[in-house]
PDB file of all heavy atoms in Angstrom:
ATOM      1  N   LEU A 160      11.060   6.257  -6.832  1.00  0.00           N
ATOM      2  CA  LEU A 160      11.431   7.647  -6.622  1.00  0.00           C
ATOM      3  C   LEU A 160      10.275   8.483  -6.071  1.00  0.00           C
ATOM      4  O   LEU A 160      10.508   9.444  -5.335  1.00  0.00           O
ATOM      5  CB  LEU A 160      11.922   8.255  -7.943  1.00  0.00           C
ATOM      6  CG  LEU A 160      13.223   7.669  -8.490  1.00  0.00           C
ATOM      7  CD1 LEU A 160      13.538   8.257  -9.869  1.00  0.00           C
ATOM      8  CD2 LEU A 160      14.383   7.930  -7.524  1.00  0.00           C
ATOM      9  N   GLU A 161       9.059   8.144  -6.442  1.00  0.00           N
ATOM     10  CA  GLU A 161       7.911   8.927  -5.977  1.00  0.00           C
ATOM     11  C   GLU A 161       7.319   8.312  -4.710  1.00  0.00           C
ATOM     12  O   GLU A 161       7.504   8.841  -3.619  1.00  0.00           O
ATOM     13  CB  GLU A 161       6.858   8.989  -7.086  1.00  0.00           C
ATOM     14  CG  GLU A 161       7.335   9.727  -8.323  1.00  0.00           C
ATOM     15  CD  GLU A 161       6.374   9.596  -9.484  1.00  0.00           C
ATOM     16  OE1 GLU A 161       5.533   8.662  -9.468  1.00  0.00           O
ATOM     17  OE2 GLU A 161       6.464  10.417 -10.396  1.00  0.00           O
ATOM     18  N   ALA A 162       6.620   7.202  -4.879  1.00  0.00           N
ATOM     19  CA  ALA A 162       5.922   6.611  -3.742  1.00  0.00           C
ATOM     20  C   ALA A 162       6.884   6.155  -2.650  1.00  0.00           C
ATOM     21  O   ALA A 162       6.658   6.422  -1.464  1.00  0.00           O
ATOM     22  CB  ALA A 162       5.077   5.439  -4.223  1.00  0.00           C
ATOM     23  N   GLY A 163       7.961   5.466  -3.039  1.00  0.00           N
ATOM     24  CA  GLY A 163       8.880   4.957  -2.041  1.00  0.00           C
ATOM     25  C   GLY A 163       9.478   6.050  -1.176  1.00  0.00           C
ATOM     26  O   GLY A 163       9.495   5.962   0.064  1.00  0.00           O
ATOM     27  N   VAL A 164       9.956   7.117  -1.806  1.00  0.00           N
ATOM     28  CA  VAL A 164      10.588   8.207  -1.064  1.00  0.00           C
ATOM     29  C   VAL A 164       9.557   8.974  -0.242  1.00  0.00           C
ATOM     30  O   VAL A 164       9.787   9.303   0.928  1.00  0.00           O
ATOM     31  CB  VAL A 164      11.318   9.156  -2.035  1.00  0.00           C
ATOM     32  CG1 VAL A 164      11.804  10.412  -1.307  1.00  0.00           C
ATOM     33  CG2 VAL A 164      12.492   8.435  -2.685  1.00  0.00           C
ATOM     34  N   ILE A 165       8.394   9.270  -0.846  1.00  0.00           N
ATOM     35  CA  ILE A 165       7.367  10.043  -0.133  1.00  0.00           C
ATOM     36  C   ILE A 165       6.847   9.288   1.087  1.00  0.00           C
ATOM     37  O   ILE A 165       6.701   9.867   2.180  1.00  0.00           O
ATOM     38  CB  ILE A 165       6.208  10.393  -1.082  1.00  0.00           C
ATOM     39  CG1 ILE A 165       6.683  11.403  -2.138  1.00  0.00           C
ATOM     40  CG2 ILE A 165       5.024  10.967  -0.314  1.00  0.00           C
ATOM     41  CD1 ILE A 165       5.647  11.686  -3.206  1.00  0.00           C
ATOM     42  N   LEU A 166       6.560   8.016   0.916  1.00  0.00           N
ATOM     43  CA  LEU A 166       6.008   7.231   2.019  1.00  0.00           C
ATOM     44  C   LEU A 166       7.042   7.022   3.122  1.00  0.00           C
ATOM     45  O   LEU A 166       6.728   7.099   4.320  1.00  0.00           O
ATOM     46  CB  LEU A 166       5.507   5.892   1.500  1.00  0.00           C
ATOM     47  CG  LEU A 166       4.275   5.971   0.587  1.00  0.00           C
ATOM     48  CD1 LEU A 166       3.999   4.644  -0.099  1.00  0.00           C
ATOM     49  CD2 LEU A 166       3.054   6.419   1.389  1.00  0.00           C
ATOM     50  N   ALA A 167       8.286   6.770   2.732  1.00  0.00           N
ATOM     51  CA  ALA A 167       9.347   6.644   3.740  1.00  0.00           C
ATOM     52  C   ALA A 167       9.538   7.971   4.464  1.00  0.00           C
ATOM     53  O   ALA A 167       9.741   8.007   5.692  1.00  0.00           O
ATOM     54  CB  ALA A 167      10.652   6.196   3.081  1.00  0.00           C
ATOM     55  N   GLY A 168       9.491   9.077   3.708  1.00  0.00           N
ATOM     56  CA  GLY A 168       9.623  10.382   4.322  1.00  0.00           C
ATOM     57  C   GLY A 168       8.499  10.678   5.290  1.00  0.00           C
ATOM     58  O   GLY A 168       8.714  11.255   6.371  1.00  0.00           O
ATOM     59  N   ALA A 169       7.276  10.285   4.931  1.00  0.00           N
ATOM     60  CA  ALA A 169       6.135  10.513   5.813  1.00  0.00           C
ATOM     61  C   ALA A 169       6.298   9.749   7.120  1.00  0.00           C
ATOM     62  O   ALA A 169       5.979  10.273   8.201  1.00  0.00           O
ATOM     63  CB  ALA A 169       4.843  10.085   5.109  1.00  0.00           C
ATOM     64  N   TYR A 170       6.823   8.548   7.031  1.00  0.00           N
ATOM     65  CA  TYR A 170       7.047   7.775   8.258  1.00  0.00           C
ATOM     66  C   TYR A 170       8.209   8.372   9.066  1.00  0.00           C
ATOM     67  O   TYR A 170       8.132   8.480  10.295  1.00  0.00           O
ATOM     68  CB  TYR A 170       7.350   6.320   7.928  1.00  0.00           C
ATOM     69  CG  TYR A 170       7.579   5.473   9.160  1.00  0.00           C
ATOM     70  CD1 TYR A 170       6.507   4.921   9.837  1.00  0.00           C
ATOM     71  CD2 TYR A 170       8.860   5.251   9.652  1.00  0.00           C
ATOM     72  CE1 TYR A 170       6.708   4.162  10.986  1.00  0.00           C
ATOM     73  CE2 TYR A 170       9.058   4.492  10.784  1.00  0.00           C
ATOM     74  CZ  TYR A 170       7.992   3.948  11.450  1.00  0.00           C
ATOM     75  OH  TYR A 170       8.187   3.203  12.583  1.00  0.00           O
ATOM     76  N   ALA A 171       9.271   8.780   8.377  1.00  0.00           N
ATOM     77  CA  ALA A 171      10.434   9.337   9.070  1.00  0.00           C
ATOM     78  C   ALA A 171      10.084  10.628   9.802  1.00  0.00           C
ATOM     79  O   ALA A 171      10.551  10.876  10.919  1.00  0.00           O
ATOM     80  CB  ALA A 171      11.563   9.585   8.075  1.00  0.00           C
ATOM     81  N   VAL A 172       9.260  11.462   9.175  1.00  0.00           N
ATOM     82  CA  VAL A 172       8.892  12.757   9.765  1.00  0.00           C
ATOM     83  C   VAL A 172       7.952  12.588  10.950  1.00  0.00           C
ATOM     84  O   VAL A 172       8.128  13.218  12.000  1.00  0.00           O
ATOM     85  CB  VAL A 172       8.260  13.676   8.711  1.00  0.00           C
ATOM     86  CG1 VAL A 172       7.650  14.919   9.367  1.00  0.00           C
ATOM     87  CG2 VAL A 172       9.303  14.097   7.692  1.00  0.00           C
ATOM     88  N   THR A 173       6.957  11.717  10.808  1.00  0.00           N
ATOM     89  CA  THR A 173       5.952  11.567  11.866  1.00  0.00           C
ATOM     90  C   THR A 173       6.326  10.507  12.895  1.00  0.00           C
ATOM     91  O   THR A 173       5.874  10.569  14.045  1.00  0.00           O
ATOM     92  CB  THR A 173       4.589  11.193  11.269  1.00  0.00           C
ATOM     93  OG1 THR A 173       4.678   9.920  10.604  1.00  0.00           O
ATOM     94  CG2 THR A 173       4.146  12.241  10.244  1.00  0.00           C
ATOM     95  N   GLY A 174       7.119   9.523  12.479  1.00  0.00           N
ATOM     96  CA  GLY A 174       7.436   8.422  13.383  1.00  0.00           C
ATOM     97  C   GLY A 174       6.251   7.516  13.638  1.00  0.00           C
ATOM     98  O   GLY A 174       6.256   6.709  14.573  1.00  0.00           O
ATOM     99  N   ARG A 175       5.229   7.639  12.809  1.00  0.00           N
ATOM    100  CA  ARG A 175       4.004   6.861  12.975  1.00  0.00           C
ATOM    101  C   ARG A 175       3.509   6.352  11.623  1.00  0.00           C
ATOM    102  O   ARG A 175       3.935   6.831  10.579  1.00  0.00           O
ATOM    103  CB  ARG A 175       2.922   7.720  13.646  1.00  0.00           C
ATOM    104  CG  ARG A 175       3.241   8.006  15.108  1.00  0.00           C
ATOM    105  CD  ARG A 175       2.504   9.219  15.633  1.00  0.00           C
ATOM    106  NE  ARG A 175       1.048   9.098  15.585  1.00  0.00           N
ATOM    107  CZ  ARG A 175       0.311   8.413  16.468  1.00  0.00           C
ATOM    108  NH1 ARG A 175       0.899   7.765  17.462  1.00  0.00           N
ATOM    109  NH2 ARG A 175      -1.008   8.390  16.370  1.00  0.00           N
ATOM    110  N   LEU A 176       2.583   5.391  11.661  1.00  0.00           N
ATOM    111  CA  LEU A 176       2.125   4.751  10.431  1.00  0.00           C
ATOM    112  C   LEU A 176       0.873   5.395   9.827  1.00  0.00           C
ATOM    113  O   LEU A 176       0.559   5.142   8.670  1.00  0.00           O
ATOM    114  CB  LEU A 176       1.810   3.278  10.695  1.00  0.00           C
ATOM    115  CG  LEU A 176       2.991   2.309  10.696  1.00  0.00           C
ATOM    116  CD1 LEU A 176       2.516   0.916  11.096  1.00  0.00           C
ATOM    117  CD2 LEU A 176       3.652   2.256   9.327  1.00  0.00           C
TER     118      LEU A 176
END
Side-chain angles (χ1 to χ4, degrees):
L160 294 175
E161 296 171 341
V164 172
I165 291 174
L166 292 169
Y170 181 84
V172 170
T173 63
R175 290 159 61 79
L176 279 175

